[in-house]
Amino acid sequence: MAAGIGDPLTANANTAVTASSQERGQGGTALLTPSSQAPCRDEGPATGRGLPPAQGKSMCPCRLCLSPAVLGTCAHALVQGTARGLEPGPMGPKLGRTVRSLLALLLLSGGMSSLSWSQARLLEKVFRYVDLHQDEFVQRLRAWVAIESDSVQPVPRLRQELFRMVALAAEELRGLGASVDLVGLGSQQLPDGQTLPLPPIILAELGNEPEKPTVCFYGHLDVQPAAQTSGWLTDPYTLTEVDGKLYGRGATDNKGPVLAWINAVGAFRALGQDLPVNIKFILEGMEEAGSVALEELVEREKDGFFAGVDCIVISDNLWVSQRRPALIYGTRGNCYFSVEVRCRDQDFHSGTFGGILHEPMADLVALLGSLTDSSGRILIPGIYDHVAPVTEEERDMCRTVDLDLEEYRKSSQVKKFLFDTNEEILMHLWRYPSLSIHGIEGAFDEPGTKTVIPGRVTGKFSIRLVPHMNISVVEKQVKQHLQSIFAQRNSSNQMAVSMVLGLHPWIANVKDHQYLAAERAIKTVFGTEPDMIRDGSTIPIAKTFQDIIQKSVLMLPLGAVDDGEHSQNEKINRRNYIEGSKLFAAFFLEMAQLHEMAGTPA
C-alpha cells in the first residue's frame, strides 16, 4: 500500500467532524478529527438523521452526531482517541482500530450520504479492496499506456495499435463478466485516396435487472500523437511514476478514467458482491479524430443498446483545481473555419515579385488580425447578439470555485492573463464566446531563410460557442465580416471562407439525480463539496447523447487541472486515479439508493 492511502474514513459535513489537508494522507480519503473535544451532552432522544432504530442499535443521545451508540458511548467520544491515529486512548490499539472502522460506517450512514448501513459497510469493503490493489491498478494502466493508440495520424501501423487497444479493453470487460459486442464501422476514406479500417466500437453490458437503475459509461481508448523528441521528459508510452504522478500519453485522457470505472466494477466482482446498478459501456477508438461514425451508431442503437439507460456518465475532463474535485454541467460548442487567399498555386521569388503584387500572406494576416482586439474581444459584428444573459446564480457559482489564479498562471507558464479576477477568468472560459487562431497552412515555417512569397495560404481559426448562439448565424456573420475586410483591401487575389466544423454547446440540469449522486459520492471519497463548473472545451458526444437518445448526461472528471491532456508530459496523479476508482464505486451505490427512494411511495 502506498504511503498516505489509509482507511477510507470520510468527513461528514453534518457532524462536528472535520478534515484538513494536514490530517489527510497524500492519496487516501479524509482522516477524521473532532472539531471539539467537549464530551457529548445528553439532550434527549435522537431524531431525524442517522440510522433507523430497526437496525438494532441504540441511538446516541448527542444531537451533534445522532449516530448509533457504540460500546456504551457515542462516536464523538470514541473518535477523540482514535480518528487521528495518534493516541489509542484507554481503549487500546486493537479496539481503536475497530472503532475507527465502525466510525467510518456511522458517518457514511449519516447526513452526508443517503446510503444505508449495509451499503456503507459494503462501500468500506470496496474502498479497502481498492487501496490494497492499487499497485495492480497502476500496472494495468501501464499496460494500456504502452499501446500507441494514436487515431490522429492515419497510418497503418497506428491503426493496428488502435485495434490492439480495443481488443485489450474488450478482454478486460469480458473478464468482469460483461457481454461484449464489437461493432464494426467499416473503413475511413482519406483525402489522398488511402483507405484505412476504422476500429470497432465496444458496446458492453453488465446486469439487466429492471428494479435497478442503468448507468452507461462513455469513454475513448485513442490518444493524441506523442514523441519523446517533442519535449517529453520520459517515454510517453512507458508509464512513469514520479512523486505520485503517473506520466504517460492517455494517462488522464482517457485511459486512466476508463480503467477507474473498470476498477470500481472489478472491486464489487472480486468481493463477490452484486453490482448496485446495471452498467453499460460504450468505448470508442476515434474520439481524438472527431468520433468518426459514432453519431450514426448512437442513432441506430437509440432503441436498442441505449433503451432503458437512465443516464450517461462521461469522465473526459479536468478539475479547475489541483486539489478540489469538480462536477461539470456545461461545455462550449465550436465552429471551426478556414480562410484561403490564393494568387496562384506556385510560390513566388520575393526578389522578382516583391513589391509588385498583392501578396496572399499579407491579405491573410490582415484578415486574421481583424477578428479580435488586443483584449480578446471578438470584432465580428453581431457575434454577441445571441449570447444568453449571465445570471446572478452563475456569477455566484463562479465565486465559489476553488481556483488559485496565481497557481493556475504559473502552472500554465503564462506571464499574465487578460483578466485579473477569478470571476472574470471563469466567465471568459465558460460563459462567453472566444476566438482562437490556430495556424497558417502553405507558409514557410521551417528553420532557415527561404525568401519566397507563398502563392496560396490558408488560415485556420475557431470560435467557441455558448448558449444561445446559433451555428448557421455565426457562419453567416463570419463570412460577411471577412468578405467586407477583404473588399477594403482591393486585392486581386481570391478569397474563400468555409466552416469545416459546427458543434453546439451542451448544458445539463444539475438537479438531475445523477448530479446529486455524484455530489454525495465526492463528499464521501474526498470529504469536500465539489466545484460546480463548466468546461470551455467541446465534447460533442454529450450533446449527441442528449439530443438523439434523450438521456441525461453527467460529466464526472477525475483529472487535476495540471494533468496536461494533449500536451507533453501528460499525467494523472496516483491519488486521482485510485480515489477516482472509489468515487465511481460510491456513485454506483448513491445512484441505486436514489433510484430506490424515488420508487418508494410517499
Side-chain angles (χ1 to χ4, degrees):
M1 185 182 299
I5 301 184
D7 294 341
L9 302 180
T10 311
N12 188 341
N14 293 323
T15 69
V17 180
T18 61
S20 68
S21 57
Q22 290 82 15
E23 290 154 343
R24 292 177 189 271
Q26 291 179 347
T29 23
L31 301 180
L32 299 173
T33 175
S35 62
S36 171
Q37 298 296 319
C40 298
R41 292 176 295 131
D42 187 345
E43 297 182 359
T47 59
R49 299 197 308 265
L51 300 175
Q55 290 174 314
K57 300 281 185 180
S58 61
M59 298 303 294
C60 170
C62 169
R63 290 193 182 276
L64 193 60
C65 63
L66 299 182
S67 61
V70 179
L71 301 178
T73 185
C74 76
H76 286 91
L78 293 175
V79 76
Q80 292 179 12
T82 60
R84 297 186 190 185
L86 299 175
E87 296 293 336
M91 293 176 288
K94 184 174 182 180
L95 181 57
R97 286 192 297 272
T98 302
V99 171
R100 290 182 65 198
S101 293
L102 288 172
L103 182 58
L105 300 176
L106 299 179
L107 295 177
L108 282 169
S109 301
M112 175 182 60
S113 171
S114 66
L115 302 185
S116 66
W117 174 261
S118 61
Q119 287 173 320
R121 290 191 63 182
L122 172 58
L123 190 58
E124 190 205 10
K125 291 178 182 177
V126 171
F127 284 0
R128 290 189 181 279
Y129 180 89
V130 172
D131 280 334
L132 290 171
H133 292 81
Q134 62 176 284
D135 288 338
E136 175 187 323
F137 296 158
V138 170
Q139 289 301 320
R140 183 180 291 164
L141 179 58
R142 178 170 284 110
W144 281 36
V145 167
I147 299 177
E148 195 176 348
S149 52
D150 172 359
S151 64
V152 177
Q153 300 182 78
V155 297
R157 180 184 69 83
L158 294 177
R159 197 52 59 91
Q160 290 173 3
E161 287 287 275
L162 274 169
F163 274 80
R164 191 158 70 95
M165 185 68 248
V166 170
L168 177 57
E171 182 184 345
E172 294 270 11
L173 292 172
R174 290 190 186 101
L176 296 175
S179 63
V180 178
D181 187 13
L182 298 179
V183 182
L185 301 176
S187 298
Q188 179 184 21
Q189 186 76 33
L190 302 177
D192 62 0
Q194 181 185 187
T195 299
L196 286 175
L198 288 168
I201 288 178
I202 296 175
L203 299 180
E205 300 184 54
L206 266 167
N208 188 26
E209 300 178 45
E211 69 276 11
K212 294 180 180 180
T214 300
V215 179
C216 180
F217 179 82
Y218 162 83
H220 66 90
L221 305 169
D222 58 321
V223 299
Q224 285 278 322
Q228 192 163 355
T229 54
S230 67
W232 281 74
L233 298 178
T234 61
D235 178 358
Y237 296 104
T238 300
L239 191 72
T240 305
E241 183 167 6
V242 180
D243 297 329
K245 297 176 173 62
L246 303 168
Y247 291 93
R249 178 56 91 216
T252 198
D253 182 22
N254 186 226
K255 294 179 179 180
V258 172
L259 273 173
W261 192 275
I262 290 174
N263 295 341
V265 174
F268 283 94
R269 289 297 206 216
L271 293 169
Q273 299 290 332
D274 287 338
L275 285 167
V277 295
N278 302 315
I279 292 178
K280 295 190 176 186
F281 289 84
I282 174 169
L283 304 178
E284 67 160 319
M286 293 295 290
E287 191 270 348
E288 302 292 3
S291 293
V292 181
L294 179 61
E295 186 170 336
E296 291 85 348
L297 181 139
V298 173
E299 179 73 46
R300 193 166 63 246
E301 290 288 343
K302 65 181 181 181
D303 297 320
F305 177 78
F306 294 106
V309 168
D310 291 284
C311 71
I312 309 285
V313 179
I314 299 173
S315 184
D316 193 20
N317 321 72
L318 302 177
W319 305 344
V320 77
S321 165
Q322 292 186 17
R323 301 167 299 275
R324 187 174 176 182
L327 288 174
I328 295 174
Y329 66 96
T331 61
R332 293 192 288 188
N334 193 12
C335 287
Y336 198 103
F337 293 90
S338 69
V339 51
E340 180 190 78
V341 180
R342 179 182 179 275
C343 179
R344 70 177 191 183
D345 291 336
Q346 294 174 277
D347 292 343
F348 298 91
H349 191 296
S350 63
T352 305
F353 291 93
I356 65 170
L357 52 73
H358 291 102
E359 298 189 8
M361 181 68 84
D363 284 342
L364 181 60
V365 169
L367 291 169
L368 296 177
S370 75
L371 296 172
T372 64
D373 64 16
S374 60
S375 68
R377 182 171 180 80
I378 303 173
L379 299 177
I380 299 168
I383 200 73
Y384 292 97
D385 289 353
H386 296 94
V387 173
V390 177
T391 66
E392 193 57 37
E393 182 182 9
E394 288 175 315
R395 294 189 184 280
D396 289 342
M397 291 177 80
C398 280
R399 295 184 188 114
T400 63
V401 170
D402 179 27
L403 174 65
D404 185 327
L405 200 54
E406 183 62 15
E407 180 185 86
Y408 184 41
R409 184 192 64 77
K410 288 180 178 177
S411 66
S412 304
Q413 300 179 43
V414 174
K415 185 175 182 180
K416 188 179 188 301
F417 287 125
L418 290 174
F419 307 99
D420 299 322
T421 67
N422 284 18
E423 182 180 336
E424 288 179 305
I425 290 288
L426 296 177
M427 280 290 170
H428 282 85
L429 280 175
W430 304 341
R431 199 55 185 76
Y432 301 135
S434 63
L435 188 150
S436 301
I437 298 170
H438 305 298
I440 296 177
E441 185 180 327
F444 174 62
D445 64 346
E446 298 176 7
T449 54
K450 187 177 181 181
T451 56
V452 297
I453 299 171
R456 178 172 61 180
V457 287
T458 302
K460 301 177 181 182
F461 66 94
S462 68
I463 300 175
R464 297 287 179 174
L465 308 182
V466 297
H468 301 294
M469 296 175 76
N470 181 283
I471 289 175
S472 60
V473 171
V474 169
E475 180 182 15
K476 182 178 179 180
Q477 291 169 334
V478 168
K479 289 182 176 179
Q480 287 179 342
H481 171 74
L482 291 176
Q483 288 163 356
S484 173
I485 297 298
F486 190 69
Q488 296 171 27
R489 292 184 61 79
N490 294 315
S491 174
S492 60
N493 294 322
Q494 296 175 315
M495 184 196 72
V497 184
S498 62
M499 188 180 76
V500 297
L501 187 68
L503 301 168
H504 292 279
W506 164 79
I507 192 80
N509 183 358
V510 296
K511 300 187 188 311
D512 283 346
H513 270 181
Q514 67 269 20
Y515 275 89
L516 177 57
E519 183 179 358
R520 288 175 171 175
I522 286 172
K523 290 178 188 176
T524 296
V525 175
F526 292 96
T528 184
E529 295 271 357
D531 283 328
M532 298 299 296
I533 68 174
R534 296 193 187 189
D535 191 324
S537 63
T538 305
I539 300 181
I541 189 60
K543 185 69 172 171
T544 299
F545 284 136
Q546 190 169 276
D547 289 348
I548 295 179
I549 64 175
Q550 300 289 301
K551 302 297 183 182
S552 298
V553 177
L554 164 71
M555 289 193 181
L556 181 55
L558 297 189
V561 68
D562 61 344
D563 275 2
E565 57 181 356
H566 289 203
S567 186
Q568 294 90 343
N569 305 310
E570 176 185 347
K571 58 87 178 171
I572 190 170
N573 298 331
R574 177 186 276 254
R575 171 179 181 261
N576 291 56
Y577 177 49
I578 299 304
E579 300 304 292
S581 301
K582 298 177 187 177
L583 174 61
F584 289 146
F587 173 73
F588 299 162
L589 283 162
E590 292 288 357
M591 278 293 293
Q593 182 71 3
L594 286 172
H595 184 79
E596 182 180 338
M597 291 170 64
T600 302

